[in-house]
Amino acid sequence: MAKITLSNLAHSYFPKPTSEEDWALKEMNHVWNDGEAYALLGASGCGKSTLLNIISGLLEPSEGQILFGDTDVTHMTTTERNIAQVFQFPVVYDTMTVRENLAFPLKNRGAPADYIRQRVQTIGQMIGMEVELDHRARGLTADAKQKISLGRGMVREDVNAILFDEPLTVIDPHMKWALRTQLKELHQQFGHTMIYVTHDQTEALTFADKVVVMYDGRVVQMGTPEELFETPEHTFVGYFIGSPGMNVLRARVEGRRAALDNGEIGLAGAYPALDGKVEIGVRPEFVRLTDAPDGLPVNVRRVEDVGRHKIVRADYFGSPINVIVPEGHEIGADMTRVLFDPAHVNVYQNDWRVAPTGQEAA
Ligand code: ADP
Ligand code: MG
């Protein structure tokens, strides 16, 4: 196994890209640590499959290099890179049995028959198909075929990395949870580097040690679920992760204060002078509904009870502000103001987070 380095990597599907939009992947530099479980998260069309296929060797990048350890693998095939990949839709050999399908990658590499039998049994159990091992793949449901594809991806223990491209799309919801748990266990057991593409934040946050968030051909943040929650580096991360996502308001930031359209809030640190589009972001978890006179006045539009807590949908001079009210907290009719926890207010310039220059007390 090896760490994976992407060096000045960029990709366009056009032979002669002219504008920024022609690049499916904008130039990026990243290191993916050996043995970690990554989720590659982003909306449809942001470049997840393109990046995954470049890492696996199905696609050659227009620019830049991919290194496995110190070896440049940019021009090597998937087989040479020793990678297993599972796709969104099943890829199985219809004329073979489930067992033969699962054994295929091991047979191909000349593994001993005893080992193959044992390993196929283990994997068959993991994907919940041990009783169907001798059925032909033809005639099985799409769901079952996809489980075979997953099993084939996991069967080899000696791969450099296992890549999954939205592998649970055709799997029924109940089985999804079970398979995701299996993948996580497999990772803990064997410590393969795993990259799991999904557009579902719950899937990403439960599977991965590190979540890699993509937006419009760029990796906008690579971090632990906690980092993505506490300090979204880009407003997209704030919106996309969280339920509801981060509140974002236009602001003018000066030192330790942020002036909003109709009010002012305190910040936990001091900021340099900022130009361009300046915004503050605060997650609904760090907004408090209050009757205190120093709060920002809001119109409460709707209260949603989602069980664990309530979501208050409010409006501040035309800008939506969502508040999460913990279980057991009363929402009084006179609570028409909100307060932000300054330690959890982030400042953004042209959508990218700006770090405060000083955290010292005012
Ligand atoms: P995702 O997997 O995040 O949905 P993709 O990597 O498939 O995104 O696509 C990224 C962008 O590249 C999209 O704009 C898509 O239309 C474009 N694209 C993907 N595959 C091809 C292709 N084979 N030829 C041309 N454009 C493509
Ligand atoms: Mg895709």
Side-chain angles (χ1 to χ4, degrees):
M1 279 179 253
K3 79 171 178 194
I4 300 171
T5 306
L6 309 181
S7 172
N8 304 318
L9 192 82
H11 188 72
S12 175
Y13 287 100
F14 299 96
K16 287 198 184 77
T18 49
S19 67
E20 171 106 342
E21 298 93 79
D22 290 349
W23 292 87
L25 291 184
K26 276 74 170 176
E27 187 173 312
M28 55 177 74
N29 289 282
H30 290 283
V31 176
W32 305 58
N33 295 326
D34 185 15
E36 276 198 290
Y38 290 95
L40 192 50
L41 175 69
S44 174
C46 71
K48 303 181 297 295
S49 295
T50 303
L51 181 53
L52 203 72
N53 292 341
I54 286 175
I55 293 176
S56 70
L58 288 177
L59 191 62
E60 248 195 68
S62 320
E63 288 183 6
Q65 283 87 42
I66 305 123
L67 309 179
F68 282 14
D70 297 322
T71 311
D72 186 335
V73 300
T74 314
H75 306 291
M76 288 188 189
T77 63
T78 305
T79 312
E80 288 167 326
R81 294 182 196 193
N82 200 11
I83 280 201
Q85 187 167 4
V86 180
F87 301 91
Q88 195 167 1
F89 299 103
V91 183
V92 298
Y93 303 104
D94 262 343
T95 55
M96 293 187 188
T97 62
V98 175
R99 183 189 303 279
E100 287 162 346
N101 266 287
L102 293 177
F104 193 79
L106 299 175
K107 261 208 174 118
N108 241 356
R109 295 251 163 181
D114 266 1
Y115 171 77
I116 295 180
R117 193 166 342 102
Q118 204 186 329
R119 184 74 185 148
V120 165
Q121 200 66 39
T122 307
I123 295 293
Q125 212 163 352
M126 285 182 75
I127 59 172
M129 292 191 78
E130 67 267 50
V131 296
E132 288 144 299
L133 280 177
D134 294 309
H135 293 200
R136 273 198 200 290
R138 176 181 296 133
L140 293 175
T141 61
D143 181 277
K145 287 184 183 178
Q146 183 62 359
K147 285 193 267 174
I148 303 172
S149 296
L150 264 172
R152 266 223 322 264
M154 304 188 294
V155 77
R156 285 183 51 214
E157 297 175 78
D158 60 346
V159 288
N160 273 322
I162 312 180
L163 312 188
F164 302 92
D165 195 348
E166 314 220 24
L168 305 183
T169 310
V170 298
I171 302 278
D172 80 68
H174 165 72
M175 193 67 198
K176 260 185 198 176
W177 184 83
L179 285 173
R180 205 161 64 219
T181 310
Q182 295 282 17
L183 290 180
K184 182 124 199 155
E185 272 171 25
L186 181 84
H187 179 256
Q188 281 157 356
Q189 212 176 331
F190 295 107
H192 292 115
T193 306
M194 287 190 182
I195 305 178
Y196 185 101
V197 167
T198 177
H199 60 266
D200 177 336
Q201 60 159 318
T202 313
E203 221 166 75
L205 296 171
T206 53
F207 170 77
D209 308 321
K210 291 248 177 73
V211 180
V212 181
V213 184
M214 283 190 75
Y215 174 66
D216 197 18
R218 286 192 175 85
V219 169
V220 287
Q221 190 166 4
M222 198 171 198
T224 61
E226 194 186 356
E227 285 163 347
L228 301 182
F229 183 76
E230 292 277 333
T231 45
E233 290 298 332
H234 189 278
T235 51
F236 178 76
V237 179
Y239 294 127
F240 201 66
I241 290 176
S243 180
M246 185 171 71
N247 299 299
V248 176
L249 298 168
R250 285 301 285 259
R252 219 172 47 250
V253 168
E254 259 188 61
R256 307 176 61 88
R257 313 287 306 166
L260 308 178
D261 286 343
N262 293 281
E264 207 188 53
I265 59 164
L267 302 169
Y271 288 83
L274 302 174
D275 49 19
K277 181 175 70 167
V278 179
E279 291 162 313
I280 57 117
V282 59
R283 291 204 175 272
E285 287 81 353
F286 304 118
V287 181
R288 195 156 55 84
L289 206 58
T290 179
D291 55 7
D294 57 337
L296 301 172
V298 293
N299 279 318
V300 173
R301 299 273 179 220
R302 204 166 72 241
V303 178
E304 294 167 16
D305 194 338
V306 294
R308 308 179 301 285
H309 53 245
K310 292 193 175 73
I311 299 169
V312 174
R313 308 275 182 185
D315 178 290
Y316 174 71
F317 298 99
S319 303
I321 294 185
N322 297 315
V323 185
I324 287 186
V325 179
E327 201 170 15
H329 287 229
E330 285 299 312
I331 301 175
D334 53 350
M335 292 188 167
T336 55
R337 291 176 182 271
V338 292
L339 283 173
F340 300 161
D341 173 2
H344 289 98
V345 175
N346 289 298
V347 172
Y348 296 89
Q349 180 179 34
N350 300 324
D351 291 313
W352 292 94
R353 181 173 169 268
V354 182
T357 52
Q359 299 282 357
E360 71 284 349

